[in-house]
């Protein structure tokens, strides 16, 4: 072997620089335990696909294979199926985006679109501004392209535009190269916060003034329960107000099925060309089979009603979570009340550490994701993300009761001994696991 490594991984010294930032956190091992059925997992962001009409979907797939099987099982275009791109235009109408099929690139989940946009825009060291906290899967992508990630504080309206403008100026003053602003405006993962109309304009204005690309990630936009300043309509996408400066990412993972891995990017013309070339280099083309399944589903099934079914399911679960938190959590614990999506962000009483507490929580048969996973720099120990999308409401209530017991115990221990045990997470976010979604 030409490159001396170590016994665990003889290739360790041969990896590219960009692979060195790819680390698995120690909490991964705990999540293997957390997937046991007796553990209530408030950790995973898994959509409740059992709410789908699986018989109808099976018929759609059988029909597709019988009538158009030769096309469905063939290679397709790097940009994606044109019929589906046309339908995606209709799916985005409620968030105010008017897009021509040529503006759209279909991807293998929006995760791949995140990868492609970063590949096309970011050289090593380029700065990406993200919310504090931000989506773990996006942080993993930015790290893998060796971007400098700068977290910008959020308030109850989401990403703070004043702090964003300051962060951009400070980065420039340090000689860094700002490249893009990554934001999840609606039903944020993990913060459970939504930007209102004014806030969206303010953020767009900062991006425009600084000539920075705005990357708008919106997988949850159609899954709202409460009015967040847009009346009965879903939150209006930022892209709806600037088609030249914003790349918008959408996904069928939460509105249809995450297992089909179909998402998309809507981009200005030149960017779209680059994304298609980058996509061809990565995967040749997205799966025709998956795209045509989604396309037939949209054409033949009542998908708008199905989204209402999903939304109602998640609303009930959100209510179960918030009610149980209110009832059981000790004083000093606070949390966000999401108006849609899958997540609430909980702040522990001062002095408690969600990463250190996780083994104890899993012993008490409840799991969550510690806040550190949603920052690149090891901050976030006082926070945790709670997902209510997957467990039934009574399980959520039981999970919160268990978690409150653990927090209570931890408070007692801290009062008696100070913080005594720590589980060190490898610095920064790991590459995403199903539990960290
Ligand atoms: N962005 C955000 C904010 C997410 O929460 C997720 C998945 N949880 C994704 C992107 C990726 O979704 P997918 O690749 O399934 O479309």
């Amino acid at each position: 072997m030409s490159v001396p490594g170590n016994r665990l991984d003889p290739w360790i010294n041969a990896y590219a620089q960009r692979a060195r930032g790819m680390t698995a956190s120690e909490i991964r091992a705990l999540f293997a335990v957390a997937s046991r059925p007796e553990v209530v997992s408030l950790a995973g962001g898994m959509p409740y696909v059992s709410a789908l009409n699986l018989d109808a979907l099976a018929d759609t797939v059988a029909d597709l294979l019988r009538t158009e099987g030769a096309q469905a099982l063939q290679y397709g275009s790097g940009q994606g199926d044109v019929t589906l791109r046309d339908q995606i235009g209709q799916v985005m109408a409620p968030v105010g985006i008017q897009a021509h099929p040529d503006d759209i690139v279909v991807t293998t989940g929006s995760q791949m679109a995140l990868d492609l946009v970063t590949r096309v825009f970011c050289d090593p060291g380029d700065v990406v501004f993200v919310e504090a906290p931000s989506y773990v899967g996006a942080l993993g992508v930015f790290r893998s392209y060796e971007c400098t990630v700068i977290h910008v504080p959020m308030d109850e309206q989401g990403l703070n535009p004043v702090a964003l403008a300051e962060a951009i100026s400070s980065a420039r003053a340090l000689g860094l190269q700002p490249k893009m602003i990554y934001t999840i405006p609606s039903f944020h993962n993990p913060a459970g916060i939504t930007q209102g109309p004014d806030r969206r304009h303010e953020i767009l204005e900062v991006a425009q003034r600084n000539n920075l690309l705005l990357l708008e990630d919106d997988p949850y936009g159609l899954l709202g329960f409460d009015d967040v300043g847009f009346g009965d309509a879903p939150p209006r996408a930022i892209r709806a107000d600037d088609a030249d400066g914003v790349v918008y990412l959408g996904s069928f993972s939460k509105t249809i099925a995450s297992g089909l891995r179909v998402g998309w990017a809507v981009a200005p013309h030149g960017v779209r060309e680059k994304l298609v070339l980058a996509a061809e280099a990565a995967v040749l083309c997205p799966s025709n089979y998956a795209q045509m399944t989604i396309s037939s589903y949209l054409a033949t099934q009542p998908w708008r009603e199905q989204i209402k079914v999903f939304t109602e399911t998640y609303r009930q679960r959100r209510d179960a979570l918030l009610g149980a938190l209110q009832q059981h959590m000790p004083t000093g614990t606070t949390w966000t009340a999401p108006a849609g999506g899958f997540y609430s962000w909980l702040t522990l009483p001062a002095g408690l550490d969600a990463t250190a507490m996780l083994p104890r929580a899993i012993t008490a048969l409840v799991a969550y994701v510690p806040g550190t996973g949603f920052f690149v720099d090891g901050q976030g120990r006082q926070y945790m993300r709670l997902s209510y999308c997957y467990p039934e409401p009574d399980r959520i209530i039981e999970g919160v009761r268990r978690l409150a017991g653990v927090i209570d115990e931890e408070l007692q221990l801290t009062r008696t001994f100070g913080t005594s045990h720590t589980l060190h997470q490898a610095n920064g976010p790991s590459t995403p696991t199903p539990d960290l979604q």
Side-chain angles (χ1 to χ4, degrees):
M1 185 136 318
S2 57
V3 190
N6 63 30
R7 250 176 359 112
L8 282 177
D9 183 358
W11 293 105
I12 192 108
N13 295 319
Y15 294 131
Q17 190 60 37
R18 77 184 80 89
R20 305 208 170 157
M22 297 177 187
T23 50
S25 75
E26 287 175 33
I27 58 175
R28 244 180 211 234
L30 287 169
F31 282 127
V33 186
S35 61
R36 292 201 319 250
E38 61 273 27
V39 176
V40 176
S41 180
L42 302 172
M46 289 182 301
Y48 189 64
V49 286
S50 309
L52 284 169
N53 182 342
L54 292 178
D55 285 335
L57 194 55
D59 292 344
T60 307
V61 172
D63 210 43
L64 168 70
L65 287 178
R66 258 188 230 107
T67 56
E68 295 174 279
Q71 191 189 340
L73 300 175
Q74 188 54 274
Y75 289 118
S77 112
Q79 192 176 351
D81 181 77
V82 68
T83 312
L84 179 61
R85 283 190 274 123
D86 190 44
Q87 290 165 307
I88 288 172
Q90 294 159 36
V91 170
M92 289 188 298
V95 298
I97 296 182
Q98 289 177 338
H100 188 273
D102 285 354
D103 302 333
I104 298 167
V105 185
V106 181
T107 53
T108 303
S110 54
Q111 185 68 31
M112 183 186 166
L114 276 168
D115 186 282
L116 297 178
V117 172
T118 314
R119 185 183 307 208
V120 162
F121 276 92
C122 294
D123 288 315
D126 284 354
V127 180
V128 183
F129 298 92
V130 306
E131 280 123 357
S134 186
Y135 167 50
V136 64
L139 298 180
V141 170
F142 302 146
R143 261 167 83 100
S144 75
Y145 287 99
E146 302 173 76
C147 302
T148 301
V149 174
I150 296 184
H151 286 284
V152 178
M154 302 174 84
D155 56 27
E156 65 289 344
Q157 282 278 306
L159 181 62
N160 182 319
V162 176
L164 177 63
E166 278 168 14
I168 297 168
S169 305
S170 310
R172 289 213 165 108
L174 286 171
L176 298 171
Q177 173 72 62
K179 262 303 164 62
M180 61 188 188
I181 300 163
Y182 168 68
T183 184
I184 308 157
S186 303
F187 319 127
H188 189 274
N189 177 9
I193 290 176
T194 298
Q195 296 166 10
D198 293 346
R199 178 55 63 93
R200 287 169 196 242
H201 287 136
E202 287 158 5
I203 291 168
L204 178 60
E205 206 264 320
V206 174
Q208 289 170 337
R209 193 157 23 94
N210 286 282
N211 233 347
L212 288 182
L213 182 80
L214 192 70
L215 180 54
E216 177 179 26
D217 190 6
D218 192 27
Y220 305 98
L222 298 182
L223 296 176
F225 329 125
D226 306 328
D227 180 7
V228 279
F230 300 87
D232 285 342
R236 182 176 165 85
I238 304 177
R239 159 103 195 170
D241 293 316
D242 183 354
D244 295 326
V246 181
V247 171
Y248 175 91
L249 307 186
S251 175
F252 289 113
S253 286
K254 278 80 185 182
T255 48
I256 304 181
S258 48
L260 287 169
R261 310 302 303 124
V262 181
W264 67 92
V266 192
H269 181 74
V271 178
R272 190 262 294 159
E273 298 273 284
K274 290 283 187 200
L275 293 179
V276 173
L277 292 171
E280 285 171 356
V283 294
L284 296 182
C285 61
S287 156
N288 249 6
Y289 172 67
Q291 292 181 85
M292 289 174 75
T293 300
I294 297 272
S295 182
S296 311
Y297 175 89
L298 291 170
T300 62
Q301 304 296 317
W303 59 272
R304 291 182 182 82
E305 281 65 38
Q306 180 60 44
I307 291 178
K308 283 191 194 134
V309 171
F310 276 130
T311 307
E312 183 53 25
T313 305
Y314 297 136
R315 190 187 60 73
Q316 283 169 11
R317 291 171 186 202
R318 187 271 318 252
D319 290 347
L321 180 88
L322 295 183
L325 289 169
Q326 192 63 46
Q327 189 180 349
H328 296 294
M329 280 296 155
T331 320
T333 316
T334 58
W335 53 88
T336 57
F342 288 3
Y343 313 104
S344 172
W345 183 244
L346 183 140
T347 307
L348 289 169
L352 294 201
D353 179 332
T355 309
M357 206 177 78
L358 186 60
R360 202 181 286 273
I362 289 177
T363 308
L365 304 180
V366 59
Y368 57 82
V369 185
T372 39
F374 305 96
F375 295 90
V376 289
D377 51 8
Q379 61 171 307
R381 288 182 170 270
Q382 212 189 328
Y383 308 105
M384 64 176 71
R385 188 191 74 179
L386 300 177
S387 308
Y388 48 84
C389 46
Y390 197 72
E392 301 283 344
D394 56 339
R395 295 280 289 164
I396 294 175
I397 293 167
E398 175 57 20
V400 171
R401 202 187 56 73
R402 292 175 189 172
L403 182 58
V406 175
I407 297 175
D408 265 331
E409 256 175 54
E410 202 78 1
L411 275 172
Q412 304 291 343
L413 278 172
T414 315
R415 277 187 203 121
T416 320
F417 303 111
T419 310
S420 57
H421 56 289
T422 8
L423 173 80
H424 290 288
Q425 192 186 4
N427 208 9
S430 63
T431 40
T433 68
D435 281 301
L436 291 173
Q437 286 157 3

